[in-house]
Amino acid sequence: MDQHPSYAILSPFISKYPRAAGSSFQAYNDLLYAQQWRDLEVIDLPKCSRCGFRGRKPDTNAILSVVPCSLSESLSLSWIHAAFEEFGGPQEVYIAITVEDSSIVYYKISQGIVKPPL
Amino acid sequence: MPRKVPLYAAHPLLVDSFATDMVSEQVTANRRAERKQFKLDRARAIAQAAEAAEAAFKEGRVLTVEETGIVIPSAATWKPSRSSSPPPPLSNGPPTSAAQKDQPLDEDIPENLEHLQLTLQEAFFLLWTLDCLTVVDPNTNCAMTLQQIWQRFQQAHLPPYPSHPADPTSLRFDNPFLINYVVYHHYRSLGWVIRNGIKFCVDYLLYKRGPVFHHAEFALVVCPVYEDEDDRQTCPFDLQNVDPFSWTWLSTVNRVNSQVQKTLVLTYVTIPARSRCNAELLASPACLQYFSIREVVLRRFIPARMRD
């Protein structure tokens, strides 16, 4: 892992939050290389005991927030609430759920009730 | 999670553009395009009805549904209108499909672009029992030995994420890799096909032949049990279902699975005590013999309906 170019950017958070290291590393690489997000930055989310990410999807301008977690973790509403807080109160936050076989699934969580676009 | 049906390698039909509609991704794309059209039609009808009602209200009347003549479609009543254009064939399909229409089937089978993603348990089973997998260390480019792989897979769960190998005595019997491997190995060697069960709120699904042939019969929830309760206090892992669960949770999971005709099985895995079993045993798969598995099958009993 330490040979990987992303390690240099994530290493302060990997040492600070070792239990979230695996899912953070996987989510970061997926966003950067597979999803090809631009302007990807790493945000410290101390109340969630991990780092999160903010960036833009290709060909869009909106800044999106992602917090990684593993399938084997249990989340709570206060954890999700803390993520919204520490990202600075965006309308939506994406949760990146990572699995041991390197699958990753993103769930979008919005503040309050949101009507679908159509 | 990996696809159930391989797309490229097993589908010589793909080179024939006639058959692109049969591919599951194309079926899904068609269905989604139709549904999007339905939603557009419905939104338009709702907007029309709202406009008509507003106009009537301004005149001091209240309209009934029959008066407007506008029908708001529902999923059950909507039909695709005249020429709703079908979605374009998948752009990431084999580039040769259009050009290859008249060529014989066995020419130019597209390169297999899919890769298989294995969980640590699946990978170890293939390595150990079937000897059909090689694991290469990315740093040294050498194949790893079974012993190294066994320890490395356990270390994957140990915090801190190991960029430096931990010593074998720091390994523990309650490592999630071990517990899941015990379950995986047990059922796989009995002939079941095991897949991930997250779709149905459980840990694993057991199939008789495979997901493509028949739906899963059994849904497994893995419940680790500590032989020595003191070991639990020092556990550094995220281990699920160790604590007694509530009736609410149990009923929920059972209900979800009964709806889809699966039987819920609680698989209890006993974790040997550190006082009884030395941590050095964990250096090799021989430590698996110290685990034991018991199953409890759950079915909901409804006295009024199940008289026989």
Side-chain angles (χ1 to χ4, degrees), chain A:
Chain A
M1 188 206 217
D2 44 0
Q3 310 295 323
H4 195 282
S6 306
Y7 188 75
I9 302 166
L10 294 174
S11 60
F13 301 100
I14 287 175
S15 2
K16 189 173 177 193
Y17 307 117
R19 283 177 87 139
S23 49
S24 307
F25 186 70
Q26 197 182 324
Y28 183 76
N29 288 326
D30 185 70
L31 289 173
L32 186 60
Y33 298 112
Q35 308 300 330
Q36 307 205 304
W37 280 27
R38 299 165 299 129
D39 311 327
L40 196 56
E41 37 168 351
V42 188
I43 314 286
D44 193 7
L45 309 172
K47 288 204 201 133
C48 303
S49 318
R50 65 199 65 220
C51 59
F53 312 110
R54 250 205 307 244
R56 286 176 230 263
K57 266 173 143 172
D59 306 324
T60 62
N61 272 325
I63 297 184
L64 305 173
S65 318
V66 177
V67 53
C69 73
S70 147
L71 194 61
S72 55
E73 285 188 73
S74 290
L75 305 180
S76 64
L77 283 176
S78 53
W79 184 92
I80 298 175
H81 192 76
F84 271 98
E85 232 177 79
E86 299 192 304
F87 269 122
Q91 265 310 104
E92 298 116 12
V93 163
Y94 288 81
I95 300 193
I97 306 166
T98 62
V99 195
E100 260 182 30
D101 71 348
S102 10
S103 305
I104 186 164
V105 171
Y106 294 91
Y107 270 66
K108 178 165 133 176
I109 311 241
S110 310
Q111 300 249 33
I113 298 178
V114 178
K115 206 171 160 225
L118 275 180

Side-chain angles (χ1 to χ4, degrees), chain B residues 26-40:
Chain B
Q26 194 61 43
V27 170
T28 307
N30 291 344
R31 189 185 65 230
R32 283 179 180 167
E34 263 194 26
R35 185 149 172 82
K36 191 165 176 194
Q37 188 59 45
F38 155 65
K39 286 184 181 176
L40 282 168

